[in-house]
Amino acid sequence: MEMNTAYAPKTLEEALQIRHDTHARPLAGGTDLMVQYRRGEGAAPRFPWPVLLLCGVDEMRGISRDGKGNVTIGALEISADIARSELVPWHVRQAASRMGAISLRNQATIGGNIGNSSPKGDLPATLILLDAEVELASIRGTRRMLVDDFIIAAKKNHLEDDELITKVIIPPHDFTYVWYRKIGTRRANAISKLSLSAALTLDKEGTIIDFRASSGAAGPKVERSRKVEEMLVGKRIDRIDEVLPAFLDAYDGVISPHAMPEYRRRVTRNMLSYFLKEAGKRPAGKVIEETC
């Protein structure tokens, strides 16, 4: 019987050397690859390439915050633990808590979710909103990239054949209002049909000094347009109705013209409009509820 070639390193150094020598594909939770290459009930999946099993590399685990407020999440951290950690920013915890069924959240890793680079991935949309970076390591050294730059398109990214995603670094933020919504067949246990992460910061006079939004499952990758976001900077939240139509029209262009664009644009407009209008009515520092 044909068998898969698998390597099970115990240290990061060993894993990077194997990756360099064999170009074996990294496998952590395997929630995507195990399904993609399954062969039927009772049969183990068969991969067309050697596999690098990373579950024994404890150096790629852990959640911590440094003195500057940056949160570091090891690439092997599972969604269930990310959702429970008070160190992790609110948006990321929300996405992690709604990623599939409980069994999947206890297996899926943040590194795998980024490395899979699906536009429907739950975590990348929130990480892109927060300007998070990935650390990529090889025997040549390490480098860091914004998650937004790392993911190129559906299932495509900038990971080199000898590199591993080792950690995610999220810079600190102090938003006045935050929003997260995942739309699927069910509240959880489902692949996103559409998701929206948004946040804004007001100064003491009620002027928007930071606004950002990222849309998952809205194109070949998570969509975020800093140019469109800038349209709201400098505007007063209590006069948002004056600029909202032009902003929403511009945001229509962020959504891909493929795959049900009318539905995705209409729903996204409704969510953004609700978030921005409700922000003008709520005390500062509140989570805007999902209802819209």
Side-chain angles (χ1 to χ4, degrees):
M1 182 173 109
E2 182 182 347
M3 299 290 290
N4 289 315
T5 300
Y7 303 93
K10 296 300 182 183
T11 67
L12 179 57
E13 181 180 8
E14 183 184 1
L16 294 177
Q17 190 63 57
I18 293 171
R19 178 82 162 133
H20 175 270
D21 294 341
T22 70
H23 299 314
R25 292 277 191 95
L27 181 67
T31 53
D32 181 75
L33 292 177
M34 297 291 281
V35 173
Q36 185 178 350
Y37 291 97
R38 64 185 175 186
R39 294 186 296 140
E41 186 175 353
R46 181 176 296 151
F47 302 109
W49 17 254
V51 176
L52 183 60
L53 304 174
L54 295 172
C55 55
V57 184
D58 290 339
E59 295 157 88
M60 296 172 66
R61 302 185 189 279
I63 301 174
S64 62
R65 180 186 291 150
D66 66 19
K68 296 181 179 180
N70 298 295
V71 174
T72 297
I73 305 175
L76 295 185
E77 284 297 317
I78 59 173
S79 293
D81 289 342
I82 291 170
R84 286 190 289 261
S85 175
E86 291 298 321
L87 294 178
V88 175
W90 181 85
H91 286 95
V92 182
R93 284 188 282 122
Q94 290 296 305
S97 70
R98 302 178 195 188
M99 183 188 292
I102 294 174
S103 59
L104 185 144
R105 294 196 291 274
N106 281 315
Q107 189 173 355
T109 65
I110 188 171
N113 207 225
I114 297 170
N116 189 39
S117 300
S118 169
K120 297 181 179 181
D122 291 284
L123 296 177
T126 61
L127 296 170
I128 287 173
L129 180 87
L130 299 174
D131 294 326
E133 294 181 302
V134 285
E135 181 176 280
L136 310 172
S138 70
I139 64 170
R140 296 175 285 112
T142 61
R143 62 190 180 111
R144 283 166 58 162
M145 296 180 68
L146 288 169
V147 176
D148 199 7
D149 293 334
F150 174 72
I151 298 174
I152 301 169
K155 306 291 185 178
K156 295 182 179 180
N157 57 52
H158 284 288
L159 188 70
E160 299 290 343
D161 288 343
D162 64 343
E163 287 182 321
L164 294 174
I165 299 172
T166 54
K167 62 184 68 172
V168 179
I169 304 97
I170 308 172
H173 298 283
D174 187 21
F175 300 121
T176 310
Y177 299 101
V178 292
W179 161 277
Y180 176 80
R181 179 83 185 268
K182 173 182 176 178
I183 297 175
T185 307
R186 297 173 296 279
R187 181 180 175 88
N189 300 356
I191 295 175
S192 296
K193 289 184 178 178
L194 187 67
S195 69
L196 181 73
S197 303
L200 67 82
T201 306
L202 303 177
D203 66 12
K204 293 180 179 179
E205 285 71 43
T207 300
I208 298 172
I209 58 175
D210 183 19
F211 172 80
R212 53 184 69 193
S214 61
S215 300
K221 62 171 285 186
V222 173
E223 301 295 341
R224 182 182 172 195
S225 172
R226 288 162 178 79
K227 181 179 180 181
V228 175
E229 292 171 358
E230 284 291 324
M231 292 178 64
L232 296 184
V233 175
K235 306 299 189 294
R236 290 186 57 87
I237 193 65
D238 58 359
R239 300 176 65 178
I240 197 66
D241 286 338
E242 298 176 7
V243 296
L244 193 56
F247 166 75
L248 295 175
D249 287 346
Y251 203 91
D252 280 348
V254 176
I255 309 299
S256 170
H258 307 290
M260 300 172 61
E262 296 84 2
Y263 165 78
R264 286 181 165 83
R265 287 172 178 166
R266 173 170 50 83
V267 174
T268 300
R269 288 175 72 100
N270 289 343
M271 290 191 287
L272 286 169
S273 179
Y274 179 83
F275 171 61
L276 290 165
K277 289 182 178 181
E278 287 296 306
K281 305 174 186 176
R282 307 293 183 90
K286 296 295 183 180
V287 174
I288 306 298
E289 292 86 353
E290 288 188 1
T291 306
C292 66

